[in-house]
Amino acid sequence: MALALTFTGNVDPTALATIVLAIVTVGLAWIGWKALRQTQSEIELSRLEVEQAQRPVLVPVTGTANPRADGDVLVVPIRNIGAGPALDVEIAVTTLNDAGEFSHAAGPSSTDTLTGIGVADPVAFEIRIPNLGGLPSFAARLTYYDVARRRWVTTAKYLARRGGKYVDLDIGSDSSQSG
């Protein structure tokens, strides 16, 4: 038995209009979906631009405000050179040996926190370190959040015996952690 379609000349205009409307609806849905994807992409780009415009960048300071030892307190000046505030700032300091390397004899990390640092003059962290005795070499790790609650990390080593300078400065996002 062969299947065949025959046209009898009886065309129902309602059926024809329904088919045309279905085709137009599918086409409009596809165009709408494409426009939605484009809009989502533009919104994401705009969000990233706004975040970057408010991004803090914390760096340790030398020159006019150098790190110093004051009894058992290590004072570490930090400056926000970014465009937005740094929030929930924590600094962890680990003393290093004279070669600038970690030593178990130096002791564990010590920390200090601040609620926020605006874009302005240096802010001094005061970290208590028992038996400090003088300005040591140290490794500093700053963790902080921007206004979008994205976490950022700045790390550096301060080498006291090599002219008092920071080396190995690294600034980046810590996308594995968020607030």
Side-chain angles (χ1 to χ4, degrees), residues 61-86:
V61 177
T62 58
T64 58
N66 288 317
R68 67 183 189 282
D70 186 9
D72 284 350
V73 176
L74 176 64
V75 179
V76 181
I78 301 296
R79 183 186 304 264
N80 182 354
I81 62 170

Side-chain angles (χ1 to χ4, degrees), residues 142-164:
L142 292 152
T143 56
Y144 49 99
Y145 294 89
D146 61 19
V147 293
R149 299 303 297 161
R150 185 171 182 185
R151 185 173 172 182
W152 297 92
V153 177
T154 300
T155 58
K157 287 182 181 179
Y158 180 79
L159 303 177
R161 302 284 189 258
R162 295 188 190 158

Side-chain angles (χ1 to χ4, degrees), residues 12 21 48 61 73 94 98 155:
D12 183 8
L21 283 174
L48 290 173
V61 177
V73 176
T94 304
D98 287 342
T155 58

Side-chain angles (χ1 to χ4, degrees), residues 40-55:
Q40 287 173 332
S41 174
E42 290 171 2
I43 288 171
E44 177 64 18
L45 180 60
S46 178
R47 184 186 67 77
L48 290 173
E49 288 173 353
V50 168
E51 282 183 11
Q52 289 300 315
Q54 292 298 311
R55 179 176 179 240

